[in-house]
Amino acid sequence: MPRQIPWWIGGIALSLLFYFSFSSFGANRPIGVSTGMAYLSTILFGLDAEHYIYTAEIEKSGAWEGVMLFGAFFGGLFVSLFITKSFRISYIPTLWKIRKNSSIKSRMTWSFIAGFLLVFGARLAGGCNAGHILSGGSQLAISGIIFAFVALGTGVVTGRFFYKKKGASCDR
Amino acid sequence: MIDRIVNMFDIVAKQGHGSVATVLLIGFFFGAIIAYSRLDKFEKMAGFMIFEDTLVPRMAMTTVALSSVGFYFLVQTGYASFAVKPIMLTGLIVGAFIFGIGLVILGKCPSAFFVSVSEGRVDTFVGVLGGMVGGGVFTLLYPNLKDWMGSSRGSPQVFDFFVDYNLAVVLIFATILLVTAYFLPSLEFRDEADFKEK
């Protein structure tokens, strides 16, 4: 069995899943993720809906996405164990070693900061890649198009300054 | 915490957006497709923004192109309704800016968080912890941030500007995305670590 599907099969498969979720045959709502992340954080830190207005506001959508994320974890685990066979404990991505450094401490510190920025930024914006770009873009939502241009543009500019240039010497 | 987790499943069971089993199944296939296409890898997501790999834009454009046409017909035939996010301009732009910085550094979108963790990536697990703190801090600050994020400017779609030509708009939109995806250069960062025989 191939260890990876090509981009066009991935795109077709994801759109079929989107049809199912979006239609009344499935969940009658588009797929989103970052509200679920925020909702899970309210569970982790005990920020309940009775005392925190944001928890109350996102409770329905956040719970749906939180449960979906449980499923996503097991979907990823199944594929990495039995199909791609890529499950292994790893600390630093290969490309990070090439374009940044080989320090576990550096990667972990930046991962924590970046994870914070991702969820905090997504909540400020009201969505992430899934909710704004994929589900929003599929509905030709202006909010999704604005988000895509700003987020991806910022990512490209940040990447230009944050990482070493392609082909530059590295400290491996 | 256990009570809240049980309550989360209970909320899903009662809200009319699919049974718990349906939502778990949607999540399972969502995670499986992300993992099987390798979209969860740093090399794919960060790699796209530092010009090492073009899988993410090609796959995302294909998904949005096909979904836009499908969504349009599902809505037209009454099998779905649009659920468009509102524009709260300051929050949207500042949030997208912050998100973009995090995205290129972590190299995972929130969709890929748990998928990547399920593959044994400790750095992503640390990213998830950072995300949990980010979500918690946002929840605490929300009463102060709410007004600053801006009032809702509605939930406009491109359709609203071409009321009589909705089908043409969606077909042109999808065609542009599909053609762009097809003609984007095939850059692929091959991570040999994934192809070692065990």
Side-chain angles (χ1 to χ4, degrees):
Chain A
M1 211 166 181
R3 298 252 179 113
Q4 182 180 336
I5 49 173
W7 57 270
W8 58 274
I9 292 183
I12 292 170
L14 211 49
S15 60
L16 291 175
L17 180 68
F18 275 33
Y19 295 166
F20 179 70
S21 179
F22 187 65
S23 72
S24 52
F25 304 112
N28 205 16
R29 59 153 283 167
I31 286 176
V33 170
S34 65
T35 314
M37 290 292 296
Y39 187 74
L40 292 177
S41 77
T42 70
I43 292 177
L44 185 67
F45 296 119
L47 307 172
D48 60 76
E50 282 178 29
H51 299 94
Y52 295 92
I53 181 176
Y54 188 64
T55 310
E57 280 189 19
I58 65 167
E59 191 148 46
K60 280 189 175 176
S61 181
W64 192 93
E65 293 180 15
V67 170
M68 195 203 73
L69 283 170
F70 268 77
F73 175 84
F74 288 105
L77 186 65
F78 177 82
V79 168
S80 71
L81 284 176
F82 302 114
I83 300 177
T84 61
K85 295 178 180 165
S86 54
F87 180 88
R88 67 180 191 280
I89 301 298
S90 64
Y91 299 91
I92 310 177
T94 306
L95 186 57
W96 176 278
K97 289 181 190 169
I98 294 171
R99 297 286 294 268
K100 189 65 180 173
N101 58 45
S102 297
S103 161
I104 292 178
K105 189 179 168 187
S106 165
R107 176 60 185 161
M108 295 305 160
T109 305
W110 280 114
S111 292
F112 186 87
I113 294 168
F116 180 97
L117 295 176
L118 272 168
V119 176
F120 191 85
R123 289 299 79 219
L124 264 183
C128 63
N129 294 40
H132 268 316
I133 299 181
L134 296 179
S135 292
S138 300
Q139 298 177 77
L140 281 76
I142 302 295
S143 54
I145 294 168
I146 294 172
F147 181 88
F149 275 103
V150 177
L152 300 181
T154 305
V156 169
V157 173
T158 305
R160 171 75 181 77
F161 293 104
F162 187 78
Y163 295 104
K164 293 167 188 163
K165 282 184 184 169
K166 198 171 181 175
S169 61
C170 56
D171 61 359
R172 286 199 283 177
Chain B
M1 190 190 292
I2 302 294
D3 289 350
R4 286 284 307 278
I5 293 173
V6 172
N7 187 45
M8 177 174 76
F9 283 88
D10 202 33
I11 292 169
V12 172
K14 289 175 181 167
Q15 70 176 262
H17 284 297
S19 65
V20 169
T22 302
V23 180
L24 283 171
L25 201 66
I26 288 170
F28 184 90
F29 281 104
F30 189 58
I33 294 167
I34 287 173
Y36 204 8
S37 60
R38 315 305 286 125
L39 205 67
D40 62 312
K41 282 177 67 66
F42 175 88
E43 285 75 12
K44 301 298 174 190
M45 184 58 78
F48 142 56
M49 286 181 281
I50 56 175
F51 308 108
E52 293 272 8
D53 199 293
T54 49
L55 177 127
V56 167
R58 298 180 106 183
M59 185 169 155
M61 284 182 197
T62 307
T63 302
V64 172
L66 299 178
S67 297
S68 62
V69 176
F71 282 16
Y72 174 82
F73 283 109
L74 283 169
V75 171
Q76 290 298 313
T77 50
Y79 289 110
S81 50
F82 285 124
V84 179
K85 289 178 182 290
I87 296 177
M88 286 176 279
L89 203 57
T90 308
L92 180 63
I93 291 176
V94 175
F97 182 81
I98 294 171
F99 182 88
I101 295 170
L103 188 63
V104 75
I105 294 174
L106 187 61
K108 325 274 171 182
C109 55
S111 307
F113 269 0
F114 288 117
V115 179
S116 189
V117 171
S118 75
E119 205 177 23
R121 298 185 186 276
V122 179
D123 58 324
T124 311
F125 179 72
V126 173
V128 170
L129 294 180
M132 289 290 114
V133 175
V137 169
F138 184 84
T139 303
L140 292 173
L141 295 180
Y142 183 68
N144 308 100
L145 290 171
K146 193 176 180 184
D147 289 339
W148 174 83
M149 286 161 66
S151 54
S152 173
R153 298 179 183 228
S155 303
Q157 295 166 278
V158 176
F159 297 129
D160 299 334
F161 302 100
F162 305 94
V163 180
D164 296 329
Y165 306 99
N166 284 352
L167 180 59
V169 165
V170 76
L171 290 177
I172 291 168
F173 177 76
T175 304
I176 290 171
L177 288 178
L178 284 177
V179 169
T180 309
Y182 184 78
F183 284 106
L184 269 181
S186 291
L187 290 178
E188 184 181 1
F189 183 90
R190 186 178 163 89
D191 187 352
E192 294 301 333
D194 284 345
F195 294 90
K196 287 177 184 166
E197 290 298 331
K198 293 188 177 175

